[in-house]
Amino acid sequence: AALRATDEAGAALARLAEAEQAAARAGLAGELSRIHHMRGNILFPQGDLAGCLRAHRAALDWARQAGSPGLELQALGGLGDAHYAQGRMRTAHDHFSRCVDGARARRLDREAAANLPMVAVTRLYLGDPAGALADAGEAARLAAGVRHPRAEMLAALVAHDVLLELDRPGEAVEAL
């Protein structure tokens, strides 16, 4: 994770490969899910969208084998990102929505806050700006409540974009 944060993707992927071998030998399904999820998150900004999708699918499979709803939710969010990057808005929206619904059901507000802005973004692409604006507002409130500044910032950016689409520039500036 530190190598990802410092944009050392090659080194991060090498460490993940080592960790994957160790986790596989030890039969640690949860760790394998985390490893594949991290791999997908590294491949995403590098533009390896096919690899990103494969990694998040593997993360979901391992999360289910581990019997971990939390890891399953992370993997669903990752799959949403992978489909979003490929322009598959309906599929991305479905994955993000399942992630948020599952997080809400388990009272995992931080996970819901992290993915709700993307529910809003994909809803906008699907032609529902009013729903997108409502989701963005809810996302901002939830993110502030769980002290998740990245999610709160993303929610504000989404609200801004939706308000511009609705030709409400004054409110768009206020949203930021």
Side-chain angles (χ1 to χ4, degrees), residues 48-89:
D48 183 352
L49 302 182
C52 174
L53 185 58
R54 277 192 309 274
H56 286 301
R57 282 182 176 151
L60 182 60
D61 290 342
W62 284 113
R64 288 178 174 158
Q65 288 183 42
S68 173
L71 292 175
E72 189 172 333
L73 295 174
Q74 284 182 344
L76 286 171
L79 284 167
D81 285 336
H83 288 292
Y84 174 80
Q86 293 180 0
R88 295 176 165 154
M89 294 304 150

Side-chain angles (χ1 to χ4, degrees), residues 30-53:
E31 293 308 317
L32 286 164
S33 177
R34 287 181 186 89
I35 289 164
H36 285 284
H37 181 72
M38 179 64 69
R39 183 175 288 128
N41 287 344
I42 292 168
L43 296 174
F44 178 88
Q46 292 195 321
D48 183 352
L49 302 182
C52 174
L53 185 58

Side-chain angles (χ1 to χ4, degrees), residues 2-173:
L3 291 169
R4 174 182 173 228
T6 58
D7 205 23
E8 297 176 66
L13 291 170
R15 297 298 174 267
L16 286 174
E18 293 170 12
E20 182 179 5
Q21 289 176 359
R25 281 192 304 272
L28 301 173
E31 293 308 317
L32 286 164
S33 177
R34 287 181 186 89
I35 289 164
H36 285 284
H37 181 72
M38 179 64 69
R39 183 175 288 128
N41 287 344
I42 292 168
L43 296 174
F44 178 88
Q46 292 195 321
D48 183 352
L49 302 182
C52 174
L53 185 58
R54 277 192 309 274
H56 286 301
R57 282 182 176 151
L60 182 60
D61 290 342
W62 284 113
R64 288 178 174 158
Q65 288 183 42
S68 173
L71 292 175
E72 189 172 333
L73 295 174
Q74 284 182 344
L76 286 171
L79 284 167
D81 285 336
H83 288 292
Y84 174 80
Q86 293 180 0
R88 295 176 165 154
M89 294 304 150
R90 182 160 312 284
T91 303
H93 181 76
D94 291 345
H95 280 90
F96 289 129
S97 295
R98 287 173 48 206
C99 177
V100 169
D101 291 346
R104 286 176 172 152
R106 291 170 178 82
R107 300 194 188 281
L108 298 172
D109 291 342
R110 194 163 175 78
E111 191 69 31
N115 287 279
L116 190 52
M118 294 307 296
V119 171
V121 167
T122 54
R123 191 181 302 277
L124 178 61
Y125 277 107
L126 294 174
D128 182 7
L133 189 58
D135 287 340
E138 182 183 349
R141 287 186 296 278
L142 183 59
V146 296
R147 296 189 176 135
H148 195 323
R150 182 180 183 281
E152 190 174 2
M153 177 191 68
L154 184 54
L157 290 171
V158 172
H160 170 267
D161 291 351
V162 173
L163 289 162
L164 285 179
E165 288 291 325
L166 294 172
D167 196 26
R168 294 161 53 184
E171 291 175 73
V173 171

